[in-house]
Amino acid sequence: MNIKIAVLASGSGTNLQALIDAPDLGAEISLVVSDRPGIVALDRAHDAGIESAVVPYGEYGSRAEFCSALNEVADGAGVEALVLAGFMRVLDGGLVSAWKDRILNIHPSLLPAFPGADAVGQALEHGVKVTGVTVHFVDEKVDHGPIIAQQSVPVLPDDDRESLHARIQIEEHALYPRVVSAFARGRIVVDGRRVRWE
Ligand code: GRF
């Protein structure tokens, strides 16, 4: 039986769309959660007939209150995992420990290189020849938890932020559904910082 997941997004939601379109995800996207109204990811959820919820970050007095509201929404939907897809908020320790090894994130670099919001720009600025995509479990630190899968992407001489991010996103859209599908089938085992695929 498919597990139920929530996808959390803050923007255009192309990774959400890749998960929606995946032919054999093994997971039912029961809920899409956004931290602000009016984003394209919410339209994608609507078009796919998926329930959505907005938990507006600005309306909470603290990160802890925001995260506790997120927790309630996810619990209420009966989901077993939170899949972050371009979700631009840092989750607090309470939420992370309540969902230990059940929060996934996708990041546009080969972590631990270039954590944070501008991974693509930093890779260009640093002059690396290879960057990529990382899918990892979320822990208390930003872009830091155990790494589940990575895919490299070459940096081309004429790349700018847009062209490089576009090629990274092609890999993201292939990798995230594969990882979520393996996770949903119980094939991903965490052992400290190391993750095994079974
Ligand atoms: C992706 O590049 C992802 O790695 C990063 O934010 C971006 C979200 O893109 N965390 P989208 O909203 O899925 O199109």
Side-chain angles (χ1 to χ4, degrees), residues 73-144:
V73 166
D75 260 350
V79 300
E80 290 174 52
L82 309 181
V83 174
L84 275 47
F87 192 63
M88 297 306 284
R89 300 292 170 189
V90 176
L91 304 180
D92 78 341
L95 188 63
V96 168
S97 56
W99 293 81
K100 188 169 163 36
D101 299 339
R102 294 189 298 145
I103 310 177
L104 282 68
N105 184 42
I106 187 159
H107 182 77
S109 77
L110 294 175
L111 290 171
F114 314 127
D118 186 25
V120 179
Q122 281 181 45
L124 281 172
E125 204 155 294
H126 199 88
V128 294
K129 303 296 186 203
V130 178
T131 183
V133 181
T134 302
V135 178
H136 64 95
F137 286 109
V138 171
D139 69 5
E140 308 71 31
K141 297 185 197 159
V142 174
D143 300 327
H144 173 269

Side-chain angles (χ1 to χ4, degrees), residues 11-16 85-88 105-108 165 169 172-173:
S12 66
T14 64
N15 281 285
L16 165 66
F87 192 63
M88 297 306 284
N105 184 42
I106 187 159
H107 182 77
H165 197 200
Q169 287 225 290
E172 290 187 333
H173 302 157

Side-chain angles (χ1 to χ4, degrees), residues 149-171:
Q150 293 185 302
Q151 175 62 51
S152 60
V153 174
V155 180
L156 304 180
D158 294 336
D159 264 335
D160 57 19
R161 237 195 211 85
E162 259 152 43
S163 63
L164 181 55
H165 197 200
R167 288 205 319 290
I168 289 173
Q169 287 225 290
I170 291 171
E171 300 302 334

Side-chain angles (χ1 to χ4, degrees), residues 65-83:
E65 284 172 40
F66 169 71
C67 287
S68 131
L70 269 185
N71 194 28
E72 249 172 60
V73 166
D75 260 350
V79 300
E80 290 174 52
L82 309 181
V83 174

